[in-house]
Amino acid sequence: MTDANLSFLALCVLPIFFLIFLKLIVRPRPIKIPIKSRHVFITGGSSGIGLALARQAAAEGARVTILARDLNKLEKAKNSIRLSTGIDVNIVSVDVCDFQAVKEAVENAGPIDVLVCNQGVFVAQEIVNQDVKEIRGMIDVNLIGTINLVRAALPGMKNRSDRKPVSIAFMSSQAGQVGIYGYAAYSASKFGLRGLAEALQQEVIADDIHVSLIYPPETKTPGLAKARKTMSRLTSIITASSSEMEADEVAKKALNGIKSGCFSITCNLVGLLLSIATSGLSPQRSYLMAFVEVITVGAVRIVALCFQWSWYRAIEKWHAH
Amino acid sequence: MADIHFSYLAFGVLTFLLIFLKLIIRPHPTKIPIKSRHVFITGGSSGIGLALARQVAAEGARVTILARDRNKLEQAKNSIRLSTGIDVNILSVDVCDFQAVKEAVESAGPIDVLVCNQGVFVAQEIVNQDMKEIQGMIDVNLTGTVNLVKAALPGMKNRSDRKPVSITFMSSQAGQVGIYGYAVYLATKFGLRGLAEALQQEVIADNIHVSLIFPPETDTPGLTKAKKMMPRLTSIMAACSSAMQADEVANKALNGIKSGSFFVFCNLEGLLLSIVTAGFSPQRSYFMAFVEVIFSGLVRIGVLCVQWTWYGSIEKLHA
């Protein structure tokens, strides 16, 4: 056999062996999480991505509970979902920062099959100018609020009578994959969710509980509109690197990801690059995605460094004025 | 013949990559002098903080150590005086109290190197962990560091001496990878990374440089305490990385701070972790960038294998 033929054979056969190796190795194993006729519990469900998720889950035949602070907004959301899908969702008015209240709400709601911790506040501002109370508020709602929900729901999930696979999903953000000018406190809270998720998955896998992180880009929601008012222009310049999405599109990607038990759910192309680059030590349940990660992570690191180059140049230019 | 051509091509591509990376990496590399400058270390009365304070004092810096317990601070001060002959300033403050932190920072005078090293850690399954303990870890490790940054930043931004200064966060290898039993601790340390990545962009214009230190398990009073309650599964997994002495960690940390590195690793496992978790973090060394690009694919394979053994251990334990 000539060298060229041998090389060609190796080039074709090696990837196949590697794919088989990955298929045997990836943990946790792939899973499917059914939604129909199951109880989906969505926090921050009265607006934005949470509302879109609630609507889509209800339309797919799930029993839906939405949790938020403001009872009026909850009623409006409930009516909106009834109008568009004909289905009634349960509403619960609770502050996620109050562990006792969360515990009672979760117990009243009955066994939860899909817990979506989607509540979040988001104020983009340079940390030197941001009020300490506002920073604490973001950590409280985004991070501690989610810990409260997990702590409240976990015993019930672990001891459930129906042993079908269940899901705990955290709404993160692309700002939870890379820290950006103006996002210091928000990124801190969202990065924290990932740390929580990676360890939590190991702690709950034995009970057939599956953890997912959803990483949307900036999404057209009331939350974003409010943040835009105080956001530094420099932050907007830098985040323009990733295209904005509609809440419904994000909800669709999120729901598909949750149903396939995906650990890192991406929503657009930049999101895919971010997920590959930051795959780090996260588990990967799809051997195909694992293959893509291994082959491309080096090249994507170059892309990441190019992004940082353009961002730091924008920062230099900004301060030169 | 074709082999030689291929070798030349490979060599050419790699050289081109190195040059490209040298031009592209941001922020630019920097050096942060320590001698005669003010180094402010929190959690400085024991463990890694104390070792750092000792080494920095020996290198001629003016040192302030901050902690809660005044007795431990006095003991630390005496210990440093005995071994180096140098006197450090001591401040008894709870980092969770923003007002107290602000006053302490202002009374200490201009800070050149701020080392946010305070931390508590309790390893336990989140379903069993007390909410007060969870709140405590987040308050001290994450919010405490936010308080320190908020307190020190205005002074650093407006400093008269415009030499490069540093803000350093003590993270952990347990802050790079999810381990059974470390969920909340991990959340706080991952949070520090998100904070650091964004903060670096916000402060680079003022010649302020952010570093994250990632030690493995280090022989400190903190670790001894945590080991008593640690779930067995956590010990099995954490044993993957060899433990280090506080002095060794402090040495590596100091070198990293002085070279303005964003990620500072302390041993071989730390290097591998830094490569695979590089993500979108800034890289100031074009050589490290090169290593990351070339090896992250391979290390990711290693990671998937480690996950395979960890999840295997979990299955076995529950069988």
Side-chain angles (χ1 to χ4, degrees):
Chain A
M1 257 204 177
T2 65
D3 283 340
N5 281 351
L6 215 57
S7 309
F8 183 68
L9 197 67
L11 216 59
C12 289
V13 168
L14 269 158
I16 297 179
F17 272 131
F18 185 49
L19 268 166
I20 297 174
F21 171 74
L22 287 173
K23 193 170 206 299
L24 295 169
I25 265 265
V26 289
R27 292 288 185 276
R29 296 193 181 75
I31 193 94
K32 292 251 171 280
I33 301 185
I35 294 274
K36 194 172 155 76
S37 308
R38 306 191 81 207
H39 184 200
V40 179
F41 190 101
I42 304 172
T43 65
S46 64
S47 69
I49 298 172
L51 176 54
L53 255 170
R55 201 192 309 275
Q56 291 185 21
E60 288 201 22
R63 179 167 74 85
V64 177
T65 304
I66 54 178
L67 180 151
R69 279 171 303 182
D70 186 331
L71 196 57
N72 284 330
K73 284 167 97 175
L74 281 166
E75 299 274 4
K76 281 205 195 112
K78 180 172 175 151
N79 290 335
S80 158
I81 296 176
R82 193 192 289 128
L83 269 170
S84 51
T85 65
I87 297 167
D88 262 331
V89 303
N90 297 326
I91 60 175
V92 181
S93 172
V94 167
D95 185 345
V96 295
C97 298
D98 180 348
F99 177 59
Q100 278 306 116
V102 170
K103 198 154 177 276
E104 281 168 33
V106 159
E107 277 160 20
N108 289 338
I112 298 174
D113 299 306
V114 179
L115 173 68
V116 185
C117 306
N118 162 78
Q119 87 288 352
V121 291
F122 157 52
V123 185
Q125 203 178 11
E126 291 93 335
I127 196 175
V128 71
N129 298 327
Q130 198 160 43
D131 193 61
V132 170
K133 284 200 183 66
E134 208 155 55
I135 298 175
R136 291 189 74 116
M138 263 188 272
I139 294 176
D140 281 345
V141 174
N142 300 356
L143 186 54
I144 299 184
T146 298
I147 293 175
N148 286 342
L149 287 158
V150 170
R151 286 271 287 118
L154 209 43
M157 285 179 137
K158 280 187 167 250
N159 298 325
R160 65 193 189 280
S161 34
D162 155 18
R163 302 306 293 180
K164 283 200 289 228
V166 293
S167 160
I168 298 177
F170 297 159
M171 188 60 66
S172 180
S173 165
Q174 284 179 0
Q177 295 176 299
V178 55
I180 294 278
Y181 189 102
Y183 274 65
Y186 185 68
S187 285
S189 67
K190 291 302 193 182
F191 266 72
L193 286 184
R194 174 181 168 163
L196 190 68
E198 281 196 16
L200 183 64
Q201 178 65 92
Q202 295 189 4
E203 292 179 22
V204 301
I205 189 68
D207 291 296
D208 212 1
I209 304 173
H210 307 278
V211 181
S212 295
L213 282 155
I214 306 156
Y215 294 109
E218 285 193 322
T219 310
K220 291 197 181 89
T221 64
L224 179 62
K226 190 173 166 203
R228 279 250 154 88
K229 295 189 181 132
T230 54
M231 199 184 277
S232 158
R233 246 206 101 232
L234 188 47
T235 303
S236 305
I237 293 173
I238 293 177
T239 56
S241 301
S242 182
S243 48
E244 229 177 65
M245 283 176 78
E246 298 286 345
D248 285 322
E249 297 177 290
V250 171
K252 185 148 179 275
K253 291 266 166 51
L255 211 49
N256 286 338
I258 291 172
K259 288 193 286 188
S260 52
C262 185
F263 188 79
S264 307
I265 302 173
T266 68
C267 301
N268 64 3
L269 178 61
V270 171
L272 177 62
L273 290 176
L274 281 166
S275 292
I276 292 173
T278 61
S279 51
L281 286 123
S282 62
Q284 178 51 261
R285 312 181 79 144
S286 153
Y287 70 95
L288 275 170
M289 249 331 273
F291 184 76
V292 169
E293 282 168 3
V294 168
I295 301 299
T296 62
V297 66
V300 176
R301 179 59 176 156
I302 301 177
V303 172
L305 292 168
C306 293
F307 268 104
Q308 287 289 1
W309 173 81
S310 77
W311 292 337
Y312 276 93
R313 287 233 320 173
I315 293 168
E316 270 175 40
K317 261 195 243 166
W318 181 263
H319 282 102
H321 289 135
Chain B
M1 206 52 190
D3 285 341
I4 297 177
H5 285 164
F6 181 73
S7 304
Y8 278 142
L9 186 66
F11 184 73
V13 167
L14 290 175
T15 309
F16 175 73
L17 180 62
L18 259 169
I19 298 172
F20 176 74
L21 290 172
K22 192 174 207 295
L23 294 170
I24 260 266
I25 53 163
R26 293 287 187 277
H28 298 285
T30 194
K31 292 247 171 281
I32 303 189
I34 294 276
K35 194 172 154 76
S36 307
R37 304 190 83 208
H38 183 200
V39 180
F40 189 102
I41 304 172
T42 65
S45 65
S46 69
I48 299 172
L50 177 54
L52 250 173
R54 202 193 310 273
Q55 292 186 19
V56 165
E59 288 201 21
R62 181 166 73 85
V63 179
T64 304
I65 55 178
L66 181 151
R68 278 170 303 182
D69 186 331
R70 183 153 278 278
N71 285 330
K72 284 166 98 176
L73 280 165
E74 298 276 3
Q75 273 170 3
K77 179 172 177 152
N78 290 335
S79 158
I80 298 175
R81 193 192 290 127
L82 268 169
S83 50
T84 65
I86 297 167
D87 261 330
V88 303
N89 298 325
I90 61 176
L91 283 169
S92 173
V93 172
D94 185 343
V95 295
C96 299
D97 180 348
F98 177 62
Q99 275 307 116
V101 169
K102 198 153 175 282
E103 282 167 29
V105 159
E106 276 159 21
S107 68
I111 298 174
D112 299 306
V113 179
L114 173 68
V115 184
C116 306
N117 161 77
Q118 88 287 353
V120 290
F121 72 104
V122 185
Q124 204 178 11
E125 292 98 335
I126 196 175
V127 73
N128 297 328
Q129 201 155 42
D130 193 54
M131 270 317 290
K132 282 202 182 65
E133 214 153 56
I134 292 175
Q135 183 79 47
M137 258 192 277
I138 293 177
D139 284 344
V140 173
N141 299 359
L142 187 54
T143 313
T145 297
V146 169
N147 286 344
L148 286 160
V149 170
K150 279 287 288 162
L153 208 45
M156 285 179 135
K157 278 185 167 256
N158 298 325
R159 66 192 188 281
S160 34
D161 155 16
R162 304 303 293 177
K163 283 199 290 227
V165 292
S166 159
I167 297 177
T168 296
F169 298 158
M170 189 62 65
S171 180
S172 166
Q173 282 180 4
Q176 290 176 296
V177 51
I179 296 203
Y180 189 104
Y182 270 97
V184 178
Y185 181 71
L186 198 71
T188 65
K189 294 304 189 178
F190 262 72
L192 284 186
R193 177 184 168 158
L195 184 67
E197 281 192 15
L199 182 64
Q200 178 66 92
Q201 292 193 0
E202 290 179 22
V203 300
I204 190 65
D206 291 296
N207 209 5
I208 304 174
H209 306 278
V210 181
S211 295
L212 279 158
I213 323 270
F214 295 103
E217 279 197 327
T218 309
D219 228 329
T220 65
L223 179 63
T224 312
K225 192 171 164 206
K227 275 220 150 102
K228 295 192 180 131
M229 288 187 58
M230 205 179 269
R232 239 201 105 233
L233 212 39
T234 308
S235 308
I236 295 174
M237 291 179 192
C240 280
S241 184
S242 39
M244 281 176 79
Q245 294 301 311
D247 286 321
E248 298 176 287
V249 170
N251 194 276
K252 293 273 175 354
L254 202 50
N255 287 337
I257 294 171
K258 289 194 285 190
S259 57
S261 302
F262 189 75
F263 276 5
V264 179
F265 51 86
C266 302
N267 61 4
L268 177 62
E269 291 94 335
L271 168 62
L272 294 174
L273 283 171
S274 294
I275 290 173
V276 79
T277 61
F280 265 67
S281 65
Q283 179 50 261
R284 311 184 77 148
S285 150
Y286 72 94
F287 184 67
M288 255 320 282
F290 182 73
V291 169
E292 285 166 1
V293 169
I294 301 299
F295 290 105
S296 35
L298 277 169
V299 183
R300 179 64 177 154
I301 300 176
V303 165
L304 293 168
C305 295
V306 172
Q307 291 284 4
W308 175 77
T309 63
W310 282 349
Y311 278 92
S313 302
I314 294 170
E315 267 173 54
K316 259 193 244 163
L317 204 79
H318 283 99

